[in-house]
């Protein structure tokens, strides 16, 4: 995977943008299904998908699990959105906390934000004791954490990983 993408090295046409949009909405479709929707040949579709991977535009493909469907099998767990404010916000301090959060398995997403808190984390834990253990490791034991505000999720109304600007054809395409 490319960690840094330089758009001057390549360009995307509208078919590439449509392909990204389709894959973000449902990457489980067959190459043939995607090709038919884009009105291109299956070999062309596959070549384009491989190119998007090689360019680092597609980071990875994952399955999005429906929490209410899997809950009877593994339990509901806890989902939380956590605001974290650091005492010191210099680059090294931000990088240090980010590395700690990213390494934590219970952290599903880690966002640096501004203004307000320094980070917003999306956290998933099996139960409250697991959340408390995670909060000890990330927040209490870390000397530079000044404030933590946790919001426990009661319902996920929407989860959509696609980029909205890819849904519409540009005027000049």
């Amino acid at each position: 995977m490319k960690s840094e993408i330089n758009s001057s090295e390549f360009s995307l046409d509208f078919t590439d943008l449509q392909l990204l949009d389709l894959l973000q909405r449902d990457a489980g479709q067959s190459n043939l299904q995607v090709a038919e929707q884009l009105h291109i040949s299956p070999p062309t579709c596959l070549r384009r998908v491989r190119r998007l991977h090689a360019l680092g535009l597609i980071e990875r493909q994952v399955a999005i699990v429906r929490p209410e469907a899997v809950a009877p099998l593994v339990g509901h767990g806890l989902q939380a959105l956590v605001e974290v404010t650091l005492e010191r916000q210099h680059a090294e301090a931000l990088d240090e906390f980010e590395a700690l959060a990213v390494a934590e398995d219970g952290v599903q997403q880690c966002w640096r934000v501004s203004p307000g808190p320094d980070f917003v984390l999306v956290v998933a834990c099996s139960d409250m004791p697991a959340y408390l253990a995670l909060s000890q490791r990330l927040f209490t034991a870390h000397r530079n954490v000044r404030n933590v505000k946790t919001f426990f999720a009661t319902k996920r109304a929407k989860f959509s990983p696609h980029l909205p600007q890819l849904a519409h054809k540009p005027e000049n395409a």
Side-chain angles (χ1 to χ4, degrees):
M1 176 185 73
K2 284 190 164 193
S3 60
E4 192 173 305
I5 298 171
N6 183 349
S7 62
S8 66
E9 296 175 7
F10 62 90
S11 64
L12 300 178
D13 62 16
F14 185 65
T15 301
D16 290 325
L17 295 176
Q18 286 180 304
L19 179 55
L20 284 171
D21 186 57
L22 282 171
L23 292 175
Q24 287 178 104
R25 291 175 190 275
D26 184 2
Q29 297 180 80
S30 71
N31 183 58
L32 181 61
Q33 291 171 311
V34 174
E36 286 174 357
Q37 291 175 67
L38 295 176
H39 308 289
I40 60 177
S41 71
T44 297
C45 184
L46 186 58
R47 188 172 49 255
R48 283 177 177 260
V49 170
R50 287 180 175 157
R51 176 178 173 258
L52 294 171
H53 274 281
L55 290 171
L57 296 175
I58 297 175
E59 184 176 332
R60 59 192 167 136
Q61 293 176 227
V62 299
I64 299 172
V65 177
R66 206 163 38 100
E68 64 275 10
V70 77
L73 304 169
V74 298
H76 287 278
L78 290 175
Q79 188 88 26
L81 299 147
V82 184
E83 294 179 354
V84 180
T85 304
L86 301 181
E87 191 68 43
R88 293 169 304 285
Q89 287 87 12
H90 57 83
E92 187 178 302
L94 291 167
D95 290 344
E96 179 186 344
F97 182 80
E98 181 181 302
L100 188 66
V102 168
E104 183 66 51
D105 192 49
V107 174
Q108 292 182 321
Q109 296 180 45
C110 176
W111 296 85
R112 281 195 197 185
V113 296
S114 180
D118 298 306
F119 292 90
V120 173
L121 308 177
V122 176
V123 173
C125 294
S126 58
D127 53 23
M128 186 56 77
Y131 174 77
L132 291 173
L134 178 142
S135 67
Q136 275 288 332
R137 290 188 303 274
L138 275 182
F139 315 132
T140 308
H142 196 278
R143 295 185 319 265
N144 195 31
V145 173
R146 178 178 45 177
N147 189 42
V148 175
K149 189 172 184 180
T150 302
F151 303 89
F152 291 100
T154 57
K155 177 184 176 188
R156 181 180 83 185
K158 181 179 182 180
F159 177 80
S160 181
H162 74 94
L163 300 172
Q165 68 270 23
L166 296 182
H168 304 289
K169 186 173 184 171
E171 297 289 324
N172 58 358

